Amino acid sequence: MPIARKMADFIEKSSWIRKMFEEGARLKAIHGADNVFDFSLGNPNMEPPEEVRDHLEQVAADPAPGLHAYMPNTGYPHVRKAVADFLGREQGVAITENEIIMTCGAAGGLNIVLKAILDADDEVITPAPYFVEYGFYADNHGGRLVAVPTRPDFTIDVAAIEAAITPKTRAVVINSPNNPTGQVYSAQNLAELGQCLEKKSREINRRIYLVSDEPYRKIVYDNIEVPGVFDCYADSVMATSYSKDLSLPGERIGFAAINPAAGEKQQLLAAMALANRILGFVNAPALMQRLVALVQGTSVDIAEYDRKRNLLCNGLDRLGYKFIRPGGAFYLFPQSPIKDDVEFVGALQQERILAVPGSGFGAPGYFRLSFCVADQTITDAMPGFEKTIAQFQ
Amino acid sequence: MPIARKMADFIEKSSWIRKMFEEGARLKAIHGADNVFDFSLGNPNMEPPEEVRDHLEQVAADPAPGLHAYMPNTGYPHVRKAVADFLGREQGVAITENEIIMTCGAAGGLNIVLKAILDADDEVITPAPYFVEYGFYADNHGGRLVAVPTRPDFTIDVAAIEAAITPKTRAVVINSPNNPTGQVYSAQNLAELGQCLEKKSREINRRIYLVSDEPYRKIVYDNIEVPGVFDCYADSVMATSYSKDLSLPGERIGFAAINPAAGEKQQLLAAMALANRILGFVNAPALMQRLVALVQGTSVDIAEYDRKRNLLCNGLDRLGYKFIRPGGAFYLFPQSPIKDDVEFVGALQQERILAVPGSGFGAPGYFRLSFCVADQTITDAMPGFEKTIAQFQ
């Protein structure tokens, strides 16, 4: 075996995803990319806002010395201060640069917090459907992901999470607005989760962390507010990125914020900074740190995504697809009209529509559509969606 | 315990390093940064070459769509091709973009290759003195670092490495030009190592990888050539970055290259790409990828480092310090005039000179000086070096 057994296993298990993408690439080669309706990727189709592009030119041209050198593993102090100031205003919490670590996107942030807290064989609970990478992130650091189904409306089933907590539980990872469902957890739902974690932490005599993955926080519709987790539970950490709201996913810039009320937070901060260093991130990319400090609060035009959401939801609703209308993010997670979601996604491919089976998110019987695509892609795909559902009715 | 036991242990073990840096910061606060002679950091003092800065402005201003979006986890194909083309010319190997993965610096590259190949409890051998992060990198992925002393001139002791190989050995990590010694391994030394690894791989019936960490490849003196590892051993991977030769360490850009002659290299490549994704790097920063594609072969003015090397070596030689003259990198690794290197480094601090004890590199009895500093720092520190060695003679 030329590679680690575990990695060979991971590659093997994800081979169906690869085959699906290969089939997509094959369709594009045959029909032309414009004639394939690709709803499979969470790669924002919008460009970064003009303000961001202007500031990028500015920071790239800055002649001051030392701007590409190493800085503290946690990031530039002035950048962390800008992030803390905005976060404090946004969520009404008293947070400082000392609770912020700049990271290589939310993925980097989640990995450093899990490395900081997980002992061997620790359990990490997440509501399912869930972003499939969480399983890898827990495993990276010796942990094990435990998926606990949500309620049918994709909100957190707190009683089920409580029942899943064992003496090995170290963290609960949530994601709101959610990938793949678009669900935004209410303040009430989060408060119940917080109470549950307080009670169970006492019971197992161990700090259970709440880790909140929030890259879609700014992408919400119908004036929904995304409640912060800091109010609902002290031992919480937020990880996020500028990938989605500034359309910069390739640049790998985000941050992790530790709840100012977290217990022994200095140790947590030191462990996360060390994890950032030794996992090989070292620090978040310097230039992008300096960029995001200048554009706090900026985002792409959410109305664009809202229009796409409505276009897709209204279209599919008319055709008889069943789904929960997403309150945020740019994903729709309809029920598969047949039990076998992989088969249904295969049938959509016959119509040159690319989607991801719910099985890829721990939720068979559903499929995910990303609507961060051109409006035309949505409208042009409708006949295909219609033909496919008709086959199974 | 609010954090993982292992991380608490790491923080505790490295507390003496932190105390040393805190003492350095304290000295700077008292005497002013200009009056403290800081030889402790490998943070290049030179700015990126003008050509790099010009191209950075250009790529930052590029209005083409999709430039900050996700790309394949291995990096942009055109960037990988530019890297492969230069590497092929530089080292005389037939290598293509299919053997290149763009990474978040060399640290990112080393982590993805170790994650790709290490099973639980596998051993990773490295010649000591060594870059202390290697221990963390091996541990990150369930492995264990085994340090094997070099010969007295800091070249690889191949017989000692052969003796250290067990059925658990999975990789040998080397670093040439070396941090902390500045040693550049000869083609002969590498060829012997390659023969040893071929023999032992057959013997233990397991592929032992040679992983070559080469961020200082372009920083060499006296017309020394740095032999490539691809010629000496088939199952080899090179990891490097643009941090040192382009003075861009904060930007986290580098690459890993798989020997075109490596066995089952498609699997290795797939595992490394998956590791890049799931460790949270996802991909190397997009903008910096596009930048380095345009400046292949460029480097800072090595003559500057050469001048600093001579200034430091000649100065310390006159004062009676004993050392091997470095052939590359920007470090000098003199013998401590007393057995206790930590005590000696403490004595240097009394003269406002900051160095790192050899104990931090698995080599007690030495200390490391980074000469990527202003010339004035070197000349102004000489009286302090003189006074300190005099105390112990």
Side-chain angles (χ1 to χ4, degrees), chain B residues 53-338:
Chain B
R53 284 177 284 165
D54 289 347
H55 278 105
L56 176 59
E57 284 188 51
Q58 180 192 322
V59 294
D62 191 338
L67 293 181
H68 307 285
Y70 287 124
M71 86 290 306
N73 299 124
T74 49
Y76 292 113
H78 83 274
V79 174
R80 289 155 48 210
K81 183 169 188 318
V83 168
D85 287 351
F86 178 78
L87 186 67
R89 285 196 305 278
E90 183 193 52
Q91 302 198 21
V93 287
I95 190 162
T96 73
E97 60 269 38
N98 297 322
E99 285 113 9
I100 303 288
I101 299 185
M102 300 307 296
T103 61
C104 287
L110 293 169
N111 270 285
I112 68 169
V113 64
L114 292 176
K115 178 158 185 83
I117 62 177
L118 292 184
D119 284 314
D121 303 319
D122 273 356
E123 291 164 3
V124 177
I125 292 175
T126 199
Y130 66 97
F131 183 44
V132 71
E133 304 297 270
Y134 294 162
F136 293 119
Y137 299 168
D139 179 87
N140 283 339
H141 313 296
R144 192 170 68 79
L145 193 74
V146 177
V148 173
T150 61
R151 295 186 290 213
D153 64 355
F154 301 133
T155 60
I156 305 173
D157 185 339
V158 176
I161 286 188
E162 180 164 341
I165 290 173
T166 77
K168 300 293 285 174
T169 303
R170 183 51 146 173
V172 173
V173 176
I174 60 173
N175 172 218
S176 171
N178 186 265
N179 173 9
T181 68
Q183 181 57 261
V184 178
Y185 302 142
S186 69
Q188 170 70 20
N189 204 196
L190 291 176
E192 284 166 16
L193 179 63
Q195 284 154 21
C196 159
L197 297 183
E198 270 167 34
K199 181 180 123 189
K200 297 299 284 188
S201 287
R202 275 196 307 273
E203 219 172 281
I204 67 170
N205 194 26
R206 188 177 196 212
R207 204 184 296 273
I208 301 174
Y209 285 98
L210 177 59
V211 179
S212 183
D213 178 22
E214 308 188 3
Y216 304 100
R217 165 172 281 278
K218 291 201 183 67
I219 303 176
V220 285
Y221 313 110
D222 310 326
N223 301 313
I224 286 181
E225 289 219 3
V226 182
V229 293
F230 289 172
D231 268 349
C232 87
Y233 186 61
D235 289 311
S236 53
V237 177
M238 170 190 174
T240 190
S241 81
Y242 298 91
S243 296
K244 315 298 182 178
D245 53 34
L246 297 184
S247 280
L248 292 172
E251 304 296 357
R252 313 310 304 136
I253 182 72
F255 67 89
I258 297 174
N259 192 336
E264 299 171 278
K265 69 182 172 186
Q266 285 314 319
Q267 263 184 280
L268 179 59
L269 189 89
M272 286 172 65
L274 180 64
N276 212 25
R277 184 186 115 196
I278 69 182
L279 280 172
F281 298 111
V282 183
N283 55 250
L287 186 88
M288 291 296 151
Q289 285 192 50
R290 293 190 285 116
L291 171 63
V292 299
L294 300 174
V295 293
Q296 288 295 307
T298 305
S299 75
V300 294
D301 182 7
I302 307 303
E304 291 256 325
Y305 285 133
D306 195 14
R307 194 185 61 238
K308 294 172 198 298
R309 176 187 69 136
N310 294 334
L311 209 51
L312 184 64
C313 287
N314 298 346
L316 293 185
D317 188 43
R318 268 195 301 272
L319 300 179
Y321 285 88
K322 301 290 172 213
F323 53 83
I324 309 275
R325 204 174 174 88
F330 38 55
Y331 305 107
L332 186 67
F333 202 59
Q335 289 176 32
S336 166
I338 54 171

